[in-house]
Amino acid sequence: MAECADGLGTVPEHERILQEIESTDTACVGPTLRSVYDDQPNAHKKFMEKLDACIRNHDKEIEKMCNFHHQGFVDAITELLKVRTDAEKLKVQVTDTNRRFQDAGKEVIVQTEDIIRCRIQQRNITTVVEKLQLCLPVLEMYSKLKEQMSAKRYYSALKTMEQLENVYFPRVSQYRFCQLMIENLPKLRESIKEISMSDLKDFLESIRKHSDKIGETAMKQAQQQKTFSVALQRQNNVRFGKNMYINSDRIPEERNEIEEEDENEEEGNEETFENYYRKQRKKQARLVLQSQSNMGYGFPVNRLFDLLFEIRDQYSETLLKKWAGVFRDIFEEDNYSPIPVVNEEEYKIVISKFPFQDPDLEKQSFPKKFPMSQSVPHIYIQVKEFIYASLKFSESLHRSSTEIDDMLRKSTNLLLTRTLNSCLLNLIRKPHIGLTELVQIIINTTHLEQACKYLEDFITNITNISQETVHTTRLYGLSTFKDARHAAEGEIYTKLNQKIDEFVQLADYDWTMSEPDGRASGYLMDLINFLRSIFQVFTHLPGKVAQTACMSACQHLSTSLMQMLLDSELKQISMGAVQQFNLDVIQCELFASSEPVPGFQGDTLQLAFIDLRQLLDLFMVWDWSTYLADYGQPASKYLRVNPSTALILLEKMKDTSKKNNIFAQFRKNDRDKQKLIETVVKQLRSLVNGMSQHT
């Protein structure tokens, strides 16, 4: 620009116009050029000369710039030419590698297809083997049935039929050969019934015939052994012995026939055979037991009944051991989920097994669920079976209905308080039983407890002894299931705290961070989501249990977070880490205020985090003057902040402040903050020392 001025003379106005053209927007060029023509004569020519000079000057600068960068451009082109050769080699190598991969992959594809075909064949073979293994026992049992029929072992044949119908046929009912077998069973049963009835009639006739011969033989032997006079004196006793001998049904021949009958007896129509047998035996007993006028019996049988009572006690113990195994199997097979029903038929099946009444559930549309799991009706049925088994032994003890009723209730109480309660407690303590299973167990015990009154009615119907009788024993179901329920509740609190500990162990805070992340930690959000889901399951529990579990969980979480801050292994904490920790505590408070379990009054649940909240507020606001001034006052803003806790945390922050502010002594604000921390630390130490001396 200076050279242009030298060639044309000093023309300040033209220089200004050229500067505007070079520096301003193109929209403003028109008015600027117009000012050249509006000037003095020959101004246009002078301006053009000035413009040409400037253009030559700019061309020189451009040429200099190009000369300066030309060698770099040449070098770049040379490098590109070298790279092109390498790129062509790389392209050839990639193409060759791709071809070799394709060739190698063809063989892999072929082998893979062969493997797939082999796996399909193997799966089909396994399926066939499984089906054959399922069918073979059925065929073997049916073959065994045929052999038993041929050998006239009718009792065993009936047992085999029962096993076929109840166990084996349901497994293979979809096959045609099974249907043919099922259709053939009624014919076999009818055949056994006819044969057995004929054998029974022959047996009853033989009893009477053999009893006369045995009695006659016994009398002759007695006469041969003793003198005529002694035999005459004891003739009545011999007759008495004959009658007792016959009545007892203990003659050797008769015993042998009874044993043979036990092996071959059938159960085709049990009621018909039992009625017929009892009727005929009663007729025979009346004939045999007609004693002469100079006899009656009069022998004491107290010792026999004492022995029977001892046997009954042993029998009860045996039953309790057996039912302990039954209960354990039921608990092992239970899925601990509410019983689903999809239609009215399934609903009635469950109601027929267990006395459940709920108008609200009845009004619901299908599909719906019972609150208890499968083990509840199974246990109820097994308790009734136990009562039947206990009653069966006592039927022949000639005891009164009141005594039998008392015996049944005591046995049932032992089953509930000792056997079932022990099985429940063992189940609750098993490691694989989780929170969901424990909740279902509590619900199950509630319904079993409510069903105890139906068991009492069941015993009353058997013995015809009213429950209002003064000496009637009550069932202890209330205390039994209450103990199990309390154990399950305690296990829930323990396992819930254990799960919280597992989440807290995943915490990975950067205690020296300068700034917080701006959002809560991931482990804490996962923990809160877990608590929300588990407390939804707790809605089926009694309200007090769910509230206690929720409060216990929040208190345990608060304690765990506080311990994390006060951990002796944690040496330094920055203000950024405190702010990040505060974000996590805020999420805990929001969770508590969302009422995860209904029934809490006001901010009761939030109070679980009050110690953390006041401690963090004190450090976030840095309001030490208020804390120290109001300490010990009932209305203190930081009433829940312990001086020892505050001192521990402040010393960790003091160490961090020293480490991160090496040059703090050169900045007045940092020096003032460090002095404030040291002053507060001294005051807190004096408070702590005063408290320890007072204690």
Side-chain angles (χ1 to χ4, degrees):
M1 197 56 106
E3 293 178 2
C4 294
D6 292 341
L8 299 177
T10 302
V11 187
E13 182 64 19
H14 289 174
E15 291 181 359
R16 182 189 64 80
I17 293 173
L18 289 174
Q19 289 178 354
E20 288 183 1
I21 292 174
E22 292 178 352
S23 60
T24 60
D25 192 9
T26 56
C28 301
V29 174
T32 303
L33 293 176
R34 191 179 297 112
S35 64
V36 175
Y37 293 95
D38 294 340
D39 208 346
Q40 56 187 342
N42 297 325
H44 169 45
K45 182 178 180 181
K46 293 179 179 180
F47 175 76
M48 292 301 295
E49 293 176 354
K50 186 76 171 178
L51 181 60
D52 290 337
C54 287
I55 290 172
R56 287 192 299 271
N57 187 32
H58 284 305
D59 288 340
K60 291 178 181 180
E61 291 179 358
I62 291 172
E63 185 176 357
K64 290 179 181 179
M65 184 65 67
C66 289
N67 291 332
F68 179 77
H69 291 287
H70 174 73
Q71 186 59 40
F73 176 75
V74 172
D75 293 339
I77 293 298
T78 304
E79 290 295 329
L80 283 176
L81 292 175
K82 293 180 180 179
V83 170
R84 182 175 66 179
T85 304
D86 294 337
E88 291 177 354
K89 293 180 180 179
L90 179 62
K91 180 179 178 182
V92 173
Q93 291 177 357
V94 170
T95 303
D96 182 61
T97 303
N98 179 55
R99 179 183 56 76
R100 285 189 283 108
F101 272 132
Q102 294 294 335
D103 294 339
K106 291 179 181 179
E107 183 177 356
V108 174
I109 292 173
V110 173
Q111 293 179 355
T112 303
E113 292 176 351
D114 292 339
I115 291 174
I116 292 173
R117 285 195 296 271
C118 291
R119 290 287 173 84
I120 293 174
Q121 292 175 357
Q122 184 179 9
R123 185 182 60 189
N124 293 339
I125 291 172
T126 302
T127 303
V128 172
V129 171
E130 290 176 353
K131 297 301 181 182
L132 288 176
Q133 289 177 345
L134 197 63
C135 295
L136 282 176
V138 181
L139 298 173
E140 290 175 355
M141 287 297 292
Y142 194 77
S143 176
K144 180 180 177 182
L145 173 62
K146 288 293 187 179
E147 293 176 359
Q148 291 168 345
M149 290 292 294
S150 301
K152 297 184 179 180
R153 296 169 55 197
Y154 301 118
Y155 179 78
S156 301
L158 288 172
K159 287 295 183 182
T160 304
M161 288 185 191
E162 184 178 355
Q163 290 182 351
L164 282 170
E165 289 179 329
N166 297 333
V167 179
Y168 292 95
F169 282 165
R171 300 176 183 173
V172 294
S173 58
Q174 68 272 25
Y175 300 117
R176 185 178 178 184
F177 75 90
C178 180
Q179 297 297 328
L180 296 175
M181 292 179 181
I182 294 174
E183 294 173 359
N184 196 33
L185 287 187
K187 299 176 183 178
L188 295 176
R189 264 204 188 87
E190 190 63 29
S191 175
I192 292 175
K193 178 180 177 182
E194 294 174 357
I195 296 172
S196 299
M197 183 62 75
S198 176
D199 291 344
L200 180 59
K201 291 179 180 178
D202 296 340
F203 166 71
L204 292 173
E205 291 176 359
S206 66
I207 289 178
R208 181 62 179 171
K209 180 176 63 174
H210 290 299
S211 62
D212 293 340
K213 292 180 179 179
I214 293 173
E216 182 181 355
T217 303
M219 291 178 66
K220 288 180 180 180
Q221 290 177 352
Q223 289 176 352
Q224 292 174 359
Q225 291 175 357
K226 296 182 183 272
T227 62
F228 179 77
S229 59
V230 176
L232 184 61
Q233 291 177 0
R234 298 188 177 182
Q235 183 177 4
N236 292 335
N237 290 337
V238 172
R239 291 178 181 175
F240 170 76
K242 171 187 175 182
N243 291 336
M244 287 297 293
Y245 208 43
I246 296 173
N247 179 44
S248 63
D249 289 339
R250 300 299 186 190
I251 50 182
E253 294 182 8
E254 188 174 347
R255 180 184 300 173
N256 292 335
E257 293 180 5
I258 289 175
E259 291 177 356
E260 293 176 359
E261 188 271 345
D262 286 339
E263 294 179 356
N264 299 323
E265 186 182 10
E266 51 78 38
E267 296 179 358
N269 192 337
E270 185 176 354
E271 185 177 358
T272 302
F273 281 93
E274 285 184 357
N275 292 336
Y276 179 80
Y277 177 79
R278 289 173 180 172
K279 189 181 297 183
Q280 296 300 321
R281 292 299 286 155
K282 284 180 181 179
K283 290 180 180 180
Q284 293 180 356
R286 291 191 187 99
L287 295 174
V288 173
L289 296 177
Q290 288 177 357
S291 60
Q292 298 180 6
S293 58
N294 58 349
M295 296 181 64
Y297 291 87
F299 288 102
V301 293
N302 292 334
R303 292 185 179 180
L304 176 61
F305 281 112
D306 292 340
L307 176 62
L308 290 175
F309 291 150
E310 292 181 6
I311 295 175
R312 181 197 66 184
D313 295 338
Q314 295 297 325
Y315 177 73
S316 298
E317 289 296 326
T318 303
L319 288 181
L320 290 174
K321 292 179 181 178
K322 176 183 177 182
W323 257 260
V326 171
F327 289 148
R328 285 195 296 267
D329 292 340
I330 290 175
F331 289 140
E332 288 294 332
E333 295 173 358
D334 194 9
N335 59 3
Y336 299 99
S337 300
I339 303 175
V341 289
V342 298
N343 51 43
E344 186 69 24
E345 182 179 357
E346 292 184 0
Y347 183 85
K348 290 181 178 179
I349 290 175
V350 177
I351 294 298
S352 65
K353 296 179 180 178
F354 183 75
F356 179 82
Q357 295 179 355
D358 187 354
D360 295 334
L361 183 64
E362 293 179 0
K363 295 177 183 177
Q364 294 180 12
S365 59
F366 291 99
K368 51 188 175 182
K369 295 181 179 179
F370 286 91
M372 65 278 187
S373 65
Q374 287 286 357
S375 63
V376 173
H378 291 167
I379 290 175
Y380 182 78
I381 292 173
Q382 286 302 322
V383 173
K384 292 173 68 175
E385 290 294 330
F386 175 86
I387 295 173
Y388 276 129
S390 300
L391 176 65
K392 188 174 182 180
F393 185 86
S394 303
E395 287 179 343
S396 302
L397 294 182
H398 304 289
R399 310 305 291 178
S400 65
S401 298
T402 303
E403 291 174 321
I404 293 177
D405 181 87
D406 185 65
M407 184 273 295
L408 289 179
R409 292 177 185 273
K410 289 181 179 179
S411 299
T412 307
N413 276 331
L414 282 176
L415 180 72
L416 295 177
T417 58
R418 193 171 74 183
T419 305
L420 181 56
N421 188 39
S422 177
C423 292
L424 279 171
L425 293 178
N426 291 334
L427 173 69
I428 290 168
R429 297 189 185 100
K430 288 188 175 181
H432 70 274
I433 297 297
L435 290 170
T436 305
E437 289 80 4
L438 289 171
V439 171
Q440 189 62 55
I441 289 173
I442 292 177
I443 297 172
N444 289 350
T445 54
T446 302
H447 290 285
L448 286 172
E449 178 182 319
Q450 296 171 355
C452 283
K453 61 180 180 179
Y454 296 101
L455 291 174
E456 291 183 340
D457 295 339
F458 177 71
I459 296 175
T460 298
N461 293 334
I462 292 176
T463 60
N464 292 323
I465 300 299
S466 174
Q467 298 182 27
E468 284 72 24
T469 304
V470 177
H471 301 291
T472 300
T473 304
R474 309 293 297 185
L475 296 184
Y476 301 146
L478 180 62
S479 60
T480 298
F481 298 116
K482 184 179 293 185
D483 293 343
R485 193 156 50 248
H486 287 168
E489 292 169 5
E491 199 68 19
I492 282 179
Y493 306 148
T494 302
K495 288 187 179 293
L496 191 57
N497 290 343
Q498 290 175 352
K499 292 295 291 185
I500 291 175
D501 292 339
E502 291 176 5
F503 278 100
V504 172
Q505 289 175 0
L506 299 176
D508 186 19
Y509 287 102
D510 180 8
W511 297 109
T512 60
M513 65 192 325
S514 58
E515 295 292 336
D517 293 340
R519 60 182 182 274
S521 302
Y523 86 93
L524 187 74
M525 298 307 299
D526 293 340
L527 171 57
I528 291 176
N529 292 332
F530 165 76
L531 292 177
R532 289 188 189 280
S533 62
I534 202 64
F535 288 145
Q536 288 180 355
V537 179
F538 283 8
T539 56
H540 301 292
L541 289 174
K544 186 177 180 181
V545 178
Q547 293 170 13
T548 304
C550 186
M551 176 59 76
S552 173
C554 290
Q555 290 175 343
H556 186 75
L557 176 57
S558 177
T559 302
S560 300
L561 292 175
M562 182 68 80
Q563 291 176 349
M564 192 184 302
L565 282 177
L566 305 180
D567 187 3
S568 60
E569 296 183 359
L570 178 60
K571 303 300 183 182
Q572 298 176 347
I573 301 178
S574 65
M575 180 55 71
V578 173
Q579 294 171 349
Q580 178 64 39
F581 199 83
N582 182 61
L583 293 176
D584 293 346
V585 176
I586 290 175
Q587 290 298 324
C588 296
E589 293 171 328
L590 291 174
F591 168 73
S593 63
S594 65
E595 197 176 11
V597 172
F600 287 105
Q601 295 182 354
D603 57 351
T604 303
L605 195 58
Q606 293 93 303
L607 292 177
F609 301 96
I610 187 65
D611 292 355
L612 270 175
R613 172 44 52 213
Q614 291 190 5
L615 178 66
L616 290 174
D617 285 348
L618 175 61
F619 278 84
M620 295 288 292
V621 181
W622 210 253
D623 194 8
W624 293 104
S625 59
T626 302
Y627 174 72
L628 294 171
D630 295 345
Y631 177 74
Q633 301 297 325
S636 174
K637 181 179 179 182
Y638 305 102
L639 182 63
R640 305 299 294 270
V641 178
N642 189 291
S644 300
T645 304
L647 177 60
I648 293 173
L649 187 58
L650 189 60
E651 286 182 335
K652 295 179 179 182
M653 294 187 67
K654 181 184 71 172
D655 294 340
T656 304
S657 178
K658 288 181 179 179
K659 180 179 179 181
N660 294 338
N661 297 295
I662 299 176
F663 303 101
Q665 54 182 342
F666 302 108
R667 296 194 294 271
K668 185 176 183 302
N669 291 338
D670 293 334
R671 290 199 308 272
D672 294 342
K673 184 177 180 181
Q674 188 66 27
K675 289 181 180 179
L676 175 61
I677 292 177
E678 293 176 353
T679 302
V680 174
V681 167
K682 293 179 181 178
Q683 293 176 340
L684 288 175
R685 285 176 179 168
S686 63
L687 280 177
V688 173
N689 294 331
M691 292 172 58
S692 61
Q693 293 175 0
H694 178 71
T695 303

